[in-house]
Amino acid sequence: MKTAKSEQLYKTACGFMPGGVNSPVRACKAVGTVPLFIDHAKGSRIWDEDGNEFIDYVCSWGPNILGHCCEPVINAVKAACDKGLTFGACHKGEITLAELIKKHFPSMEMLRLVNSGTEAVMSAIRAARGFTGRDKIIKFEGCYHGHSDGLLVKAGSGLMTQAIPSGAGVTEGCTKDTLLAKYNDTASVEKLYRPYFYRVYNWEKLFEEYGSEIAALIVEPCAANMGVVPPEKGFLEFLREITKKHGTVLIFDEVITGFRLSEGGASKYFGVTPDMTTLGKIVGGGMPLACYGGKLEIMQCVAPLGSVYQAGTLSGNPCAVAAGIETIRQIESIPNFYEELDKKSAMIENAIREKGLNVNRCGSLMTVFFNDERVKSYDEARACDTESYGRYYRHMLQSGIYTAPSQFEAMFVSYAHSDEDITKTIDAIKAYR
């Protein structure tokens, strides 16, 4: 596999951007390689600057559920570009996309389009605080909700990959109202732990003591940023029950799972309805677009109806909206879309298990874990053998399979992956030593 051009481009990029990248996990340090610089993509395949061809299971970290360069989506974006890249004003495409989202996420009675998952989550939490008049929020270890200050506490994703426990530049004041709980551990939701010295912990009651102060509980309904870690049976139902009991807004961060696990996301897939939802990635069809929304009474607190301020010059960008509309329409038009995705994903999962490796899968999301037991928590994910994952990544890359350059990210299966792609992927897994 030739890499000379990617190596030279990376060297040049390091003189302009921190670590030569515009998002940390792309640096590939955790897997012992330099990042590949991609030239073009089509369907299930990507080609780098050196001409290497790969079957792609990163799929731009999730948006490309239809594959790269899906022709109807590309044509919709081109048509939108011909009318103008941005207006900074209202256009009817915003209404069309909002209608499509609400059709599949009926709990989003009102919604607001924004530009990124980070912005969607930040805005949803602000709306929940404005609605409840409370300050504190609960998040879970290993769940990543973007890089806003108050949520960079044991946030998984790139922070785990880079071994960064929180994030420099985040003040104590920004995180003082962020309470931590353990994913898949109902007891930790009722009690809060705060580390003091070494392994000595001071346990305090959480909802019992702080219930009247907690504005929101935010969770990835299926964690996908400490690797894929599905919710244990009854976990999401418990969160729904305890938040309702204490008047706390339950927020599902479905930036990854929205339109990925089902047309109605994780909410429909698991049968649990939150008060608010954030969507990104697929909802923008590969363009920079996300949204947040929820109960009418909460969203009516957002300006200009209410006093919770949030704005964005490029929010509802017509080209991004066009991509989102056509992506959702394509998903709707394909018979048995999610059943086909599940079938392809199950074939890869079975091959991984037959190889004797651990794998977590939820729909078309999966992660290969290098440890001895099934991973169901942040601590168990952190204990994985990342060096072994690096060897696995390099083997797959040399076999023409492009997977996540981090133990703590997801593998994404797209509708464009053919039977031939799946067979080649399985053969590469079988050949791993």
Side-chain angles (χ1 to χ4, degrees):
M1 190 178 86
K2 297 177 181 179
T3 59
K5 289 185 179 179
S6 280
E7 289 175 15
Q8 183 56 52
L9 287 166
Y10 180 55
K11 183 179 179 181
T12 302
C14 285
F16 294 95
M17 295 166 278
V21 295
N22 284 311
S23 190
V25 76
R26 298 178 192 173
C28 296
K29 288 183 178 180
V31 291
T33 67
V34 298
L36 298 181
F37 280 69
I38 306 305
D39 176 70
H40 66 284
K42 180 68 176 177
S44 65
R45 308 290 176 115
I46 56 172
W47 288 262
D48 67 12
E49 291 283 351
D50 288 280
N52 299 303
E53 179 181 343
F54 303 93
I55 300 171
D56 178 24
Y57 289 102
V58 174
C59 294
S60 191
W61 305 101
N64 294 330
I65 195 168
L66 298 171
H68 294 279
C69 290
C70 176
E71 189 171 346
V73 176
I74 296 296
N75 289 340
V77 173
K78 287 179 177 178
C81 288
D82 287 341
K83 292 183 175 181
L85 295 182
T86 178
F87 308 134
C90 304
H91 62 95
K92 65 182 180 181
E94 296 171 300
I95 301 171
T96 302
L97 181 56
E99 287 176 333
L100 282 170
I101 293 169
K102 186 176 178 180
K103 171 183 173 182
H104 296 294
F105 289 80
S107 65
M108 298 177 76
E109 297 171 351
M110 184 173 283
L111 60 93
R112 171 67 61 83
L113 300 179
V114 293
N115 299 291
S116 72
T118 292
E119 188 181 351
V121 169
M122 176 183 71
S123 304
I125 288 174
R126 183 178 298 165
R129 282 175 164 152
F131 173 69
T132 61
R134 303 173 180 178
D135 294 334
K136 297 187 184 300
I137 63 168
I138 297 173
K139 77 169 293 287
F140 292 87
E141 290 183 340
C143 285
Y144 179 69
H145 304 292
H147 60 265
S148 60
D149 287 359
L151 292 165
L152 281 182
V153 183
K154 292 196 174 181
S157 194
L159 290 115
M160 291 179 74
T161 303
Q162 305 291 327
I164 302 172
S166 259
V170 178
T171 67
E172 183 180 349
C174 288
T175 59
K176 70 181 178 65
D177 289 321
T178 302
L179 310 178
L180 272 177
K182 291 178 178 288
Y183 190 80
N184 274 334
D185 184 342
T186 57
S188 75
V189 180
E190 296 174 298
K191 292 186 176 182
L192 167 71
Y193 74 90
R194 288 178 174 164
Y196 279 81
F197 302 103
Y198 302 105
R199 295 184 180 275
V200 180
Y201 293 90
N202 178 25
W203 288 84
E204 301 178 54
K205 292 182 178 179
L206 199 159
F207 260 111
E208 286 186 23
E209 184 166 338
Y210 296 105
S212 62
E213 302 174 51
I214 301 171
L217 182 151
I218 185 166
V219 65
E220 288 182 272
C222 174
N225 285 286
M226 50 179 154
V228 174
V229 181
E232 293 288 281
K233 185 178 181 180
F235 179 64
L236 296 179
E237 290 83 355
F238 167 80
L239 298 183
R240 176 66 285 179
E241 182 181 342
I242 197 167
T243 51
K244 189 174 290 186
K245 176 181 177 183
H246 290 276
T248 295
V249 176
L250 177 61
I251 304 173
F252 275 7
D253 181 348
E254 294 223 43
V255 168
I256 289 178
T257 57
F259 290 100
R260 166 62 62 176
L261 298 185
S262 75
E263 287 181 0
S267 176
K268 180 178 179 180
Y269 188 87
F270 294 113
V272 178
T273 303
D275 300 306
M276 298 191 75
T277 302
T278 62
L279 299 171
K281 299 188 185 293
I282 292 171
V283 80
M287 298 286 278
L289 185 145
C291 73
Y292 69 99
K295 289 184 175 179
L296 189 63
E297 59 265 33
I298 299 175
M299 292 303 294
Q300 284 178 330
C301 294
V302 177
L305 291 180
S307 58
V308 175
Y309 193 74
Q310 177 268 313
T313 299
L314 295 176
S315 294
N317 174 270
C319 301
V321 164
I325 291 170
E326 191 56 40
T327 296
I328 295 172
R329 284 177 173 168
Q330 287 297 308
I331 290 171
E332 290 178 331
S333 70
I334 299 172
N336 304 314
F337 181 82
Y338 291 99
E339 290 82 355
E340 285 298 311
L341 274 182
D342 192 72
K343 179 182 175 182
K344 295 174 184 181
S345 304
M347 292 171 68
I348 298 173
E349 176 194 18
N350 292 337
I352 295 169
R353 293 195 187 282
E354 288 172 6
K355 190 65 184 177
L357 301 175
N358 271 330
V359 58
N360 277 2
R361 182 174 74 89
C362 188
S364 58
L365 294 168
M366 73 181 85
T367 298
V368 180
F369 287 106
F370 284 83
N371 67 341
D372 296 327
E373 297 179 356
R374 184 173 71 88
V375 173
K376 55 184 183 297
S377 70
Y378 174 73
D379 288 338
E380 290 167 352
R382 284 201 317 165
C384 289
D385 183 349
T386 55
E387 288 188 10
S388 290
Y389 181 85
R391 288 193 294 272
Y392 172 82
Y393 169 83
R394 293 189 295 274
H395 163 78
M396 296 298 280
L397 199 65
Q398 290 289 342
S399 303
I401 313 297
Y402 186 60
T403 59
S406 167
Q407 169 66 92
F408 308 112
E409 301 287 352
M411 176 180 179
F412 299 89
V413 179
S414 80
Y415 194 78
H417 285 106
S418 66
D419 292 342
E420 179 186 350
D421 294 331
I422 302 299
T423 298
K424 184 175 179 180
T425 304
I426 289 172
D427 288 343
I429 293 166
K430 288 179 178 178
Y432 172 71
R433 291 189 292 271

